[in-house]
């Protein structure tokens, strides 16, 4: 067991996977000698050579497309997209090709590509280095979509994705790449895709979040307890597709109140799916209208990102509204 | 191979084209003038090579043991993808060239096994950015990929190879000229582990008489294909306008 941040946990997962499985290759922009712009692949090129850690031309469609071909032949490629904001040129390869290979080949081909991409705001990156595009991928059948919020989950989910025969999109919260630290097993382990984590048990209101927003939700829960004696249950959704409806519905059925928080814009954001699914599952147990706390329906701003991003006060206020506490 | 094989492919091609024109099956790209080239592609590849195919009739499937019935049935509902996949054939999707980067990646993965990949395109697909991406990646990665372009001479093809550092050659799409060109390109790709670009220039299509000689066999294959599709979709048998109730 070692104390790591999320970047170190990702590097640990990649190193372990490459040591234990010769099918695993990494490709992307500057992932080789440079070690990745966020250093998630640091040292791997030296350890495994340029036939397994591949610096590619600057083309996301090329990165995803070649990764698909590698996967068809039996490799386990890990494609790094430098920022999630850059993924759109590769969107066609992901949505029209990667997500559909198993289906359109009658199950003969699988394309077990893992696509990693740092996402989200909070680093003063402006509108092209701060976006949260998870809903696009969650809307596409054929893809797993996961978002770790801790070093432990970052490693475990990445290894679970590599063990899966279907493609997985991993959105990594770059705002907490180094801020989130925790104990991480040194060897291999997996965090199951499709399981949420109850991070803070509570009885009064359920707060759902993922990625960096989970930590904001936890801050809100502390605020609610300290100032209003409200006992919030905070759940890390963790895997957006497939999502753990059982765990989420159990909590909402018990508390009767729900707040969903994410960074992405509100309209058709991933929270809308959670709200709809939990309305269907728990309608007769709800005691109050569901609240969404999200980014704004605007491009991601530069100087106003502190205003755009949900903070603990907005989440706490939403929770109080569900409880009809002024 | 014989000229009869080329005529047989031509006969299948005409039938698939008519089915598509009547809206019974999805779009089919006519292979007229390229029938010999298609057969040559099927013969130039080794059994272990991979093929990324376009919308023309999939000649490598025939050379790898698939029956014409399979290709015709595939045209009806697309459900023969599994049979083609089992023969290391990847059929195309929506994009005119999305398969080029994929073929580059597969060829790279297979390079140490002495395996190459062939991707077939029409010349209009050269306008698509995925062709640039695929050739660029293949050149940078040293992928044993052969990109074959069916050309009518409307666009420069071999000149593109120089821009990517990719060896390029041009030959007639007639079987006798296409086969040695493709065999050479596949061999170079495997041995040198380098991508190759091959232009096959359209030639005279098979004669109507040569095609007509296969009409009965094509009709028989079409009936078998319809029966196969009908078995999968029994409800369509009762629908007067169902695909299985019509003939091209």
């Amino acid at each position: 067991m070692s104390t790591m941040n999320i970047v170190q946990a990702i590097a640990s997962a990649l190193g372990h996977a490459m040591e234990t499985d010769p099918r695993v290759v990494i490709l992307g922009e500057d992932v080789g000698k440079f070690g990745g712009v966020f250093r998630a692949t640091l040292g791997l090129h030296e350890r495994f050579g340029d036939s397994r850690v591949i610096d590619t031309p600057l083309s996301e469609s090329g990165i995803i497309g070649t990764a698909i071909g590698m996967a068809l032949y039996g490799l386990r490629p890990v494609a790094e997209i430098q920022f999630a904001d850059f993924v759109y040129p590769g969107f066609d390869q992901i949505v029209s090709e990667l997500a559909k290979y198993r289906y359109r080949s009658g199950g003969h081909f699988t394309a077990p590509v893992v696509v990693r991409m740092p996402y989200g705001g909070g680093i003063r990156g402006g509108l092209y280095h701060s976006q949260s595009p998870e809903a696009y991928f969650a809307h596409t059948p054929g893809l797993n979509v996961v978002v770790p919020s801790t070093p432990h989950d970052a490693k475990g989910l990445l290894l679970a994705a590599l063990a899966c025969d279907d493609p997985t999109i991993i959105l990594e919260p770059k705002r907490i790449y180094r801020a989130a630290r925790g104990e991480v097993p040194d060897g291999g382990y997996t965090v199951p895709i499709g399981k949420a984590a109850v991070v803070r048990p509570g009885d009064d209101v359920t707060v759902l979040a993922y990625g960096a927003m989970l930590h904001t939700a936890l801050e809100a829960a502390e605020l609610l307890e300290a100032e209003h004696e409200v006992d919030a249950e905070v759940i890390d959704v963790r895997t957006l597709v497939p999502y753990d409806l059982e765990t989420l519905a159990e909590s909402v059925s018990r508390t009767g109140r729900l707040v969903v928080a994410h960074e992405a814009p509100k309209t058709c954001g991933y929270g809308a799916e959670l709200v709809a699914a939990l309305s269907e599952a728990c309608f007769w147990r709800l005691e109050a209208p569901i609240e969404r706390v999200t980014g704004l329906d605007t491009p991601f701003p530069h100087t106003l990102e502190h205003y755009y991003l949900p903070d603990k006060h907005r989440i706490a206020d939403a929770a109080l509204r569900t409880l009809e506490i002024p | 191979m014989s000229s009869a094989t080329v005529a047989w492919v031509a006969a299948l091609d005409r039938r698939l084209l008519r089915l598509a024109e009547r809206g019974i099956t999805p779009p089919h790209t006519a292979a007229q003038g390229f029938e010999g080239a298609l057969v040559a592609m099927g013969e130039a590849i080794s059994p272990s090579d991979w093929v990324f195919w376009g919308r023309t009739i999939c000649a490598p499937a025939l050379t790898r043991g698939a029956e014409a019935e399979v290709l015709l049935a595939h045209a009806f509902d697309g459900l023969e993808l599994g049979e083609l996949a089992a023969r290391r054939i990847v059929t195309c999707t929506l994009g005119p060239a999305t398969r080029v980067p994929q073929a580059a990646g597969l060829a790279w993965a297979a390079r140490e096994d002495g395996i190459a990949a062939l991707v077939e395109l029409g010349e209009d697909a050269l306008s698509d950015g995925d062709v640039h991406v695929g050739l660029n990646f293949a050149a940078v990665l040293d992928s044993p990929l052969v990109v074959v372009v069916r050309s009518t001479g409307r666009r420069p093809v071999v000149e593109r190879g120089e821009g990517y550092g990719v060896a390029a050659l041009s030959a007639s799409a007639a079987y006798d000229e296409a086969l040695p060109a493709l065999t050479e390109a596949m061999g170079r790709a495997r041995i040198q582990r380098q991508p190759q670009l091959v232009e096959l220039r359209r030639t005279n299509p098979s004669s109507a008489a040569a095609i007509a000689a296969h009409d009965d066999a094509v009709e028989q294959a079409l009936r078998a294909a319809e029966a196969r599709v009908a078995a999968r979709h029994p409800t369509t048998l009762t629908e007067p306008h169902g695909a299985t109730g019509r003939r091209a």
Side-chain angles (χ1 to χ4, degrees):
Chain A
M1 197 76 82
S2 302
T3 301
M4 297 182 189
N5 61 35
I6 289 179
V7 170
Q8 292 166 331
I10 292 165
S12 173
L14 292 171
H16 175 81
M18 297 184 79
E19 275 178 2
T20 56
D21 187 346
R23 300 174 301 168
V24 177
V25 296
I26 297 171
L27 69 162
E29 298 160 3
D30 294 325
V31 298
K33 293 174 183 172
F34 190 63
V37 292
F38 289 102
R39 295 295 192 262
T41 56
L42 191 64
L44 297 176
H45 182 268
E46 291 172 15
R47 286 171 64 188
F48 298 103
D50 54 14
S51 66
R52 295 190 66 197
V53 186
I54 304 160
D55 281 320
T56 68
L58 303 186
S59 167
E60 285 71 23
S61 65
I63 293 168
I64 304 298
T66 51
I68 291 171
M70 293 172 183
L72 292 179
Y73 194 68
L75 300 186
R76 297 273 164 167
V78 181
E80 178 179 298
I81 301 298
Q82 210 163 65
F83 285 81
D85 312 66
F86 303 170
V87 75
Y88 304 113
F91 198 67
D92 187 31
Q93 288 284 358
I94 293 176
V95 171
S96 300
E97 305 286 329
L98 180 62
K100 294 174 174 60
Y101 249 107
R102 179 195 284 277
Y103 182 87
R104 76 185 183 90
S105 67
H108 274 72
F109 293 141
T110 57
V113 177
V114 176
V115 183
R116 298 179 38 244
M117 60 182 88
Y119 87 100
I123 63 161
R124 306 191 73 77
L127 73 167
Y128 291 124
H129 294 77
S130 306
Q131 296 171 63
S132 298
E134 64 269 24
Y136 294 123
F137 303 111
H139 189 63
T140 302
L143 301 173
N144 295 320
V145 183
V146 306
V147 188
S149 60
T150 67
H152 178 275
D153 287 359
K155 181 173 180 178
L157 285 170
L158 177 48
L159 291 176
L162 278 166
C164 178
D165 284 336
D166 287 313
T168 301
I169 308 294
I170 304 181
L171 294 123
E172 299 167 355
K174 60 180 177 289
R175 174 152 59 101
I176 57 168
Y177 253 164
R178 290 178 173 78
R181 297 181 63 82
E183 295 292 299
V184 177
D186 295 318
Y189 67 95
T190 59
V191 168
I193 293 174
K195 287 297 292 182
V198 179
V199 179
R200 184 191 194 281
D203 294 323
D204 295 333
V205 57
T206 299
V207 180
L208 304 183
Y210 49 86
M213 196 50 56
L214 176 79
H215 300 272
T216 309
L218 287 168
E219 291 173 8
E222 296 304 315
L223 180 69
L224 287 164
E225 182 172 37
E227 297 188 5
H228 301 280
E229 296 182 351
V230 168
D231 187 16
E233 177 152 296
V234 179
I235 298 180
D236 185 354
V237 181
R238 200 160 60 173
T239 85
L240 309 193
V241 179
Y243 58 89
D244 184 0
L245 182 61
E246 184 179 356
T247 295
L248 307 186
E250 186 282 324
S251 176
V252 175
S253 295
R254 184 162 36 77
T255 65
R257 294 170 171 85
L258 172 62
V259 176
V260 180
H262 60 60
E263 291 185 30
K266 185 174 190 176
T267 301
C268 294
Y270 181 74
E273 170 60 26
L274 293 178
V275 170
L278 290 164
S279 294
E280 291 165 356
C282 313
F283 183 81
W284 299 108
R285 300 295 190 92
L286 287 171
E287 302 285 350
I290 298 171
E291 289 277 342
R292 277 185 288 170
V293 183
T294 69
L296 306 179
D297 283 343
T298 69
F300 196 96
H302 183 62
T303 56
L304 295 175
E305 75 172 359
H306 64 285
Y307 183 74
Y308 177 96
L309 290 170
D311 62 14
K312 64 180 179 182
H313 299 291
R314 282 173 60 190
I315 295 174
D317 287 349
L320 293 174
R321 283 196 294 274
T322 69
L323 290 154
E324 299 184 69
I325 296 175
Chain B
M1 207 291 304
S2 69
S3 58
T5 309
V6 176
W8 165 243
V9 167
L12 279 176
D13 178 67
R14 303 304 186 277
R15 184 57 63 101
L16 281 166
L17 194 60
R18 290 210 300 274
L19 287 167
E21 284 172 350
R22 294 182 60 183
I24 295 171
T25 58
H28 170 73
T29 299
Q32 287 168 329
F34 295 103
E35 299 94 338
L38 298 183
V39 175
M41 283 183 230
E43 294 183 5
I45 55 176
S46 75
S48 55
D49 290 332
W50 283 65
V51 178
F52 288 73
W53 206 250
R55 288 197 182 278
T56 54
I57 191 160
C58 188
L62 299 172
T63 62
R64 290 183 172 181
E67 296 165 352
E69 163 192 339
V70 169
L71 298 181
L72 289 163
H74 175 58
F76 282 116
D77 62 9
L79 291 182
E80 262 63 28
L81 283 167
E83 289 201 31
L84 299 176
R87 291 172 166 82
R88 297 186 176 201
I89 293 166
V90 184
T91 51
C92 69
T93 56
L94 182 69
T98 47
R99 60 195 181 281
V100 184
Q102 297 168 19
L106 187 141
W108 180 86
R111 70 199 185 288
E112 293 184 359
D113 297 329
I115 292 171
L118 181 148
V119 61
E120 180 248 2
L121 300 169
E123 63 188 343
D124 288 341
L126 293 174
S127 304
D128 192 282
D130 284 319
V131 176
H132 160 70
V133 169
L135 282 170
N136 191 31
F137 269 68
V140 169
L141 295 176
D142 294 330
S143 296
L145 171 69
V146 176
V147 178
V148 182
V149 179
R150 285 176 282 108
S151 169
T152 63
R154 288 187 291 124
R155 299 175 194 280
V157 178
V158 292
E159 292 86 343
R160 292 169 187 258
E162 189 176 349
Y164 297 102
V166 172
L169 58 85
S170 179
S172 162
Y175 172 82
D176 290 341
E177 292 187 39
L179 182 59
L182 290 165
T183 304
E184 178 188 341
M186 292 299 292
R188 282 208 307 243
R190 280 192 213 96
I191 294 167
Q192 299 174 5
R193 295 185 188 172
Q194 294 282 327
Q196 314 285 319
L197 180 62
V198 179
E199 175 189 37
L200 295 178
R201 303 184 308 273
R202 185 175 180 175
T203 186
N204 294 328
S206 297
S207 71
I211 292 172
H214 296 280
D215 274 352
D216 288 347
V218 170
E219 186 65 24
Q220 194 174 347
L222 181 60
R223 286 191 190 127
E226 287 180 335
R228 179 190 279 237
V229 173
R232 277 201 293 259
H233 310 295
T235 55
T236 62
L237 289 175
T238 59
E239 297 172 4
H241 300 298
T244 56
R246 292 191 282 183
R247 282 276 195 280

